Amino acid sequence: NHFDIHVGDNANLNIDVKKGNVNTKLGKGDMNVELSSGNLNTHVNGNSEHYVSGNYNMRVDGTIRVQSGRNQYYNAGPDIHLNS
């Protein structure tokens, strides 16, 4: 089965859950997000974790800014490559 959501020009799509969870599970395949123009913002009033069992690649054409209210911890494998 296929299910498509199409939102026309100058419109919004809002999902508002007053109490509960929003869960997405993909058994096999890819999950893609593409913004042709605009910002992607996430605000978490709690913890946020990313777990990647393969490689994690990040490309930033602008500036990376990390702000921590406490300590920062970095764990790396045996080889660290800077400016390579």
Side-chain angles (χ1 to χ4, degrees), residues 6 16-17 40 42 45 50-51 53 62 65 68 72 74 83:
H6 298 274
D16 187 358
V17 178
L40 176 63
T42 303
N45 284 326
H50 290 198
Y51 175 78
S53 62
R65 179 176 183 263
S68 176
Q72 292 184 27
Y74 298 94
N83 299 320

Side-chain angles (χ1 to χ4, degrees), residues 6-39:
H6 298 274
V7 179
D9 294 341
N10 299 316
N12 298 310
L13 172 64
N14 299 304
I15 299 172
D16 187 358
V17 178
K18 296 295 181 188
K19 185 176 182 181
N21 301 309
V22 175
N23 301 301
T24 303
K25 182 176 182 178
L26 180 64
K28 187 174 182 180
D30 297 327
M31 180 178 286
N32 304 295
V33 176
E34 180 180 333
L35 285 90
S36 297
S37 176
N39 300 311

Side-chain angles (χ1 to χ4, degrees), residues 49-65:
E49 298 182 17
H50 290 198
Y51 175 78
V52 179
S53 62
N55 295 326
Y56 186 96
N57 299 297
M58 178 173 51
R59 175 184 167 170
V60 178
D61 291 335
T63 300
I64 294 178
R65 179 176 183 263

